[in-house]
Amino acid sequence: MFLFQDGTALSIQLQATPTATLSPFERLAKPTLPASPVQADYGAQSYWLLCLPCHGDKGQGLTAEFRQTYPPEEQYCWERGCHGERPYENGFRLPMNVPAVIGPNAALTKFSTAAYLQAYLLAAMPYWNPGSLSEEEAWNITAFLLRENGIPFEGELNTANAAQVSLLIGQTSLLPTMQTEPRASPSPSGYSIAGWLGLLLLVGMAALLMRLRKIR
């Protein structure tokens, strides 16, 4: 509603432009590199090639919606021999639940720093051929995932700086904290829970040994 100086009013009805629905071909197209690509841009291409088939084109995981981009005969591939309970000779078993790696439900929070994430990717990914990534590919994919999740970092990730990039923004870090004050010696009555559990375990083992001796 707009008011003019003479008091008359003009009402304008705005219509939202409908969002275009991308075809599977468009959704799954290889990302192009910008004129001056950075580490995360190369990571986008590595993610497309190695991670997208399981983790989704938007990092959403293997959702029912994402599976619709597959050919119909492949949408429930774990029910087939290639990725089911008994895969073919050159196949592999595919988990039914593949976690999201981008967005509010991303599984990245199990890694405290970018260094831990890169080390995991290098050792365990891709799922069907773990350990096949080069160090550069693992760094590139790490940089891409951090960028897509809005985790800030400067320059290129590497062994010199990745341990300083926290993936636990807004959360309590799982890393041990440095102790700045000397710890007080515990009093005899101040056993920790772990101490009590250890003591109970020893008592139980001693009782078991005594019963075994009597049986003999």
Side-chain angles (χ1 to χ4, degrees):
M1 180 77 70
F2 294 91
L3 292 177
F4 295 98
Q5 290 183 353
D6 61 0
T8 59
L10 175 65
S11 178
I12 299 178
Q13 184 73 27
L14 298 179
Q15 294 183 351
T17 303
T19 303
T21 302
L22 299 178
S23 68
F25 180 80
E26 293 170 316
R27 283 184 61 173
L28 305 180
K30 181 179 180 179
T32 58
L33 291 174
S36 300
V38 296
Q39 189 179 33
D41 295 322
Y42 291 112
Q45 291 196 328
S46 294
Y47 177 90
W48 170 83
L49 178 64
L50 301 168
C51 315
L52 180 149
C54 292
H55 289 285
D57 59 322
K58 299 177 183 177
Q60 70 271 46
L62 194 59
T63 64
E65 186 277 333
F66 174 64
R67 290 204 312 272
Q68 298 302 313
T69 63
Y70 285 22
E73 67 274 12
E74 301 294 342
Q75 291 180 10
Y76 297 92
C77 49
W78 49 77
E79 296 180 358
R80 299 164 58 86
C82 54
H83 300 312
E85 291 292 334
R86 298 179 180 179
Y88 299 144
E89 181 178 354
N90 295 322
F92 60 93
R93 184 179 176 185
L94 181 68
M96 294 184 64
N97 297 312
V98 179
V101 291
I102 297 173
N105 298 318
L108 299 190
T109 52
K110 67 166 117 177
F111 306 101
S112 55
T113 69
Y116 283 126
L117 174 58
Q118 190 270 351
Y120 174 80
L121 295 177
L122 189 62
M125 292 288 121
Y127 181 83
W128 64 87
N129 192 14
S132 61
L133 292 178
S134 67
E135 287 198 16
E136 182 179 14
E137 287 174 327
W139 283 122
N140 291 348
I141 295 173
T142 300
F144 168 73
L145 293 177
L146 264 59
R147 184 179 70 181
E148 297 303 300
N149 282 286
I151 299 174
F153 62 96
E154 295 183 3
E156 290 196 351
L157 294 174
N158 52 54
T159 54
N161 62 15
Q164 308 306 317
V165 180
S166 174
L167 273 59
L168 302 175
I169 296 177
Q171 303 182 43
T172 302
S173 175
L174 299 178
L175 292 175
T177 56
M178 295 296 294
Q179 203 167 346
T180 56
E181 297 182 1
R183 295 181 64 179
S185 300
S187 61
S189 60
Y191 291 107
S192 65
I193 294 178
W196 279 113
L197 291 176
L199 181 61
L200 290 174
L201 180 61
L202 289 175
V203 172
M205 291 179 63
L208 178 61
L209 290 175
M210 292 180 65
R211 290 184 61 184
L212 290 174
R213 288 180 180 177
K214 289 180 179 180
I215 294 174
R216 291 178 181 179

